[in-house]
Amino acid sequence: MPEVESIACQECGQLHRYHAIAPGKTANCSRCGAVLYRNRPGMLDSVLALTLAGLTLFVLTNVFPLLGLRAQGAEQELHLLGASLAFWDQGYPVVAGLIVLNIIVFPVFELLTLLMVVLTIRYRWKPSMAIFLFRWMREFKPWGMLEVFMLGVLVAVVKLGDLATLIVGAAFWSFAGLILTMTAATALLDPFSVWRALEKNND
Amino acid sequence: MIKHKALLQCRVCGCLSHAPTQLKRFEVMHCPRCGARVKLAQQSTSVEVTWALLIAAAILYIPANLLPIMSVYMLGAGQPDTIITGVYHLLEAGQWPLALIVFVASIVVPLLKLFTLSFLLISIQRRSRWRQYDRMRLYRITEYVGRWSMVDVFVIAILTGLVQFGNLARVDANLGSLSFAAVVVLTMFAARTLDEHLIWDIAQQEEAQA
């Protein structure tokens, strides 16, 4: 395909010619300065490691309680799923569904897609499934809201601070770790290189 | 999607492809690399769809702010909170950094989003060439910041999930939270459907005509 040699900036549409760059270097758009592509040796291995760590942390986050509250001898615990479905019990199933998507479905989808993409490139599998998943992962990206939820947890913790005795659960820390690993994976991943590598698998 | 001498760019993966010389009515073009739909300039409904979503969001913004979003019951006595009274209670308790976070995420950001997207749409419809680079930056910021408005919905979810001690202390969600969640979702869709490349296309079309 001759189109591969010409590329357009994803931000502003400026046309550029693709040329190989040295390891560790970044190519930027001449008009708006956005990153066009990067040459990062070992990117796939780092993303693979972060994805596996992320999946492990996600399981831990679901198993242990996120927060606990003790008031007048009574105790209440909150798990990640409980927080997602709290609106359901209150008679707002649509909002509950939205939250389940935001903090469970889309983050898991992103982790599994990254795993699939990295393995496909590494073992030169047929790329059609990975291409399909990666495309939808990019479309769903804004709807995964782990870091926004974490800010919500922090606000709730301070709000409840003087009301009762608050217990910060183990899942709170694995959740924080999950956010860090997913942010790192996003920062490391160069979509241009991934698309190029997936395309090459077809040849 | 951009038009560059009959070259089209996929919005999802960035792949360039040639525009078909003839496209039948209702015919859809797909990106050769990732399969996402690539719209031709004459097929773009971006401006109309974004306006529809924005107007819907602006209408729902009213009940989102007037109706209570949650009620806190202490020893049987209930106290419903709207977004603004929630911020006020935080200020009263001396937790002004928290009040600031909630105020910005729940009131400033959705309102700014409604205004910014309307401004961008109007400037596109007027075929403005004014500060295109800055307008694109404005779009990027708006698109990125929008999701943080969900923070208040999450806070309500955590409080209602955690504080259920019967008559002693209880937090319930109210209808305002549903309207507010709808505003966030609608404005996120509006930011997504607005094709920011339209900001640049005007200049290119005029250059091509000259």
Side-chain angles (χ1 to χ4, degrees):
Chain A
M1 264 197 277
E3 288 91 346
V4 177
E5 290 314 301
S6 277
I7 57 168
C9 172
Q10 280 274 62
E11 299 287 312
C12 75
Q14 177 74 29
L15 277 179
H16 298 271
R17 198 159 286 280
Y18 174 81
H19 56 89
I21 52 172
K25 290 268 182 276
T26 303
N28 294 82
C29 173
S30 59
R31 178 159 72 177
C32 73
V35 174
L36 294 173
Y37 50 89
R38 296 190 166 101
N39 184 352
R40 277 223 172 101
M43 175 190 85
L44 288 178
D45 289 341
S46 313
V47 173
L48 180 61
L50 287 167
T51 307
L52 293 174
L55 285 167
T56 315
L57 286 168
F58 184 80
V59 173
L60 293 177
T61 305
N62 275 285
V63 170
F64 295 106
L66 201 60
L67 294 170
L69 197 63
R70 200 177 296 144
Q72 310 267 319
E75 228 179 81
Q76 192 93 36
E77 267 184 356
L78 186 71
H79 281 70
L80 189 65
L81 194 67
S84 320
L85 292 175
F87 268 99
W88 184 285
D89 298 328
Q90 300 278 317
Y92 298 101
V94 178
V95 185
L98 180 69
I99 297 177
V100 170
L101 290 176
N102 289 154
I103 61 176
I104 296 183
V105 177
F106 288 140
V108 170
F109 178 72
E110 184 170 345
L111 286 169
L112 291 176
T113 300
L114 286 176
L115 187 66
M116 179 71 186
V117 165
V118 171
L119 292 180
T120 302
I121 296 173
R122 191 182 247 252
Y123 296 110
R124 302 189 58 79
W125 294 341
K126 276 174 74 79
S128 51
M129 191 63 191
I131 287 175
F132 177 81
L133 291 173
F134 195 57
R135 169 191 155 198
W136 285 107
M137 186 198 104
R138 310 266 299 155
E139 300 239 40
F140 288 143
K141 184 92 187 157
W143 298 98
M145 299 195 191
L146 292 183
E147 64 285 30
V148 183
F149 183 77
M150 194 57 172
L151 183 63
V153 173
L154 294 176
V155 171
V157 164
V158 180
K159 265 192 166 181
L160 292 169
D162 8 284
L163 194 83
T165 318
L166 195 75
I167 307 140
V168 173
F172 179 87
W173 303 108
S174 59
F175 195 77
L178 178 63
I179 293 168
L180 289 180
T181 45
M182 287 192 73
T183 310
T186 308
L188 275 174
L189 194 79
D190 177 32
F192 183 86
S193 310
V194 170
W195 285 117
R196 237 175 124 79
L198 285 176
E199 214 169 28
K200 256 189 248 163
N201 270 21
N202 247 343
D203 302 339
Chain B
M1 186 208 77
I2 54 151
K3 218 178 156 197
H4 232 307
K5 287 176 197 152
L7 270 182
L8 295 170
Q9 182 187 21
C10 170
R11 267 197 77 168
V12 178
C13 77
C15 179
L16 284 173
S17 52
H18 288 291
T21 44
Q22 263 192 325
L23 200 69
K24 290 188 201 85
R25 253 185 109 188
F26 304 120
E27 198 176 354
V28 175
M29 199 191 138
H30 293 279
C31 171
R33 181 157 70 183
C34 75
R37 182 172 177 190
V38 184
K39 278 192 177 172
L40 303 175
Q42 59 267 32
Q43 286 179 323
S44 177
T45 52
S46 164
V47 173
E48 291 87 341
V49 174
T50 311
W51 267 127
L53 291 166
L54 266 187
I55 292 166
I59 292 169
L60 280 168
Y61 187 75
I62 300 164
N65 278 280
L66 293 182
L67 294 176
I69 49 168
M70 65 175 181
S71 306
V72 182
Y73 296 95
M74 296 284 273
L75 299 167
Q79 172 207 26
D81 267 333
T82 60
I83 294 173
I84 268 289
T85 58
V87 174
Y88 182 71
H89 287 312
L90 283 173
L91 270 181
E92 243 182 355
Q95 290 167 339
W96 65 266
L98 226 53
L100 191 69
I101 291 175
V102 177
F103 182 71
V104 170
S106 316
I107 296 181
V108 178
V109 167
L111 210 55
L112 269 183
K113 238 183 133 173
L114 291 174
F115 281 120
T116 312
L117 291 178
S118 306
F119 162 71
L120 289 174
L121 281 171
I122 292 169
S123 72
I124 286 169
Q125 283 180 313
R126 297 188 58 175
R127 311 180 69 75
S128 164
R129 299 182 65 167
W130 178 73
R131 297 173 76 167
Q132 284 157 307
Y133 178 74
D134 291 332
R135 279 194 285 142
M136 190 200 68
R137 288 285 296 271
L138 190 63
Y139 170 79
R140 291 282 164 217
I141 295 166
T142 312
E143 190 191 27
Y144 175 76
V145 164
R147 46 210 289 284
W148 288 91
S149 294
M150 276 297 278
V151 76
D152 226 21
V153 179
F154 291 144
V155 171
I156 300 167
I158 294 159
L159 292 182
T160 50
L162 198 56
V163 188
Q164 292 297 343
F165 295 100
N167 273 336
L168 201 64
R170 199 173 85 233
V171 177
D172 283 351
N174 294 128
L175 196 58
S177 58
L178 177 64
S179 325
F180 183 73
V183 171
V184 180
V185 169
L186 286 171
T187 52
M188 278 182 75
F189 273 120
R192 175 85 188 100
T193 52
L194 179 59
D195 183 355
E196 75 276 19
H197 286 165
L198 289 171
I199 295 171
W200 301 97
D201 281 358
I202 285 113
Q204 276 155 17
Q205 279 164 19
E206 281 171 14
E207 274 161 28
Q209 279 164 12

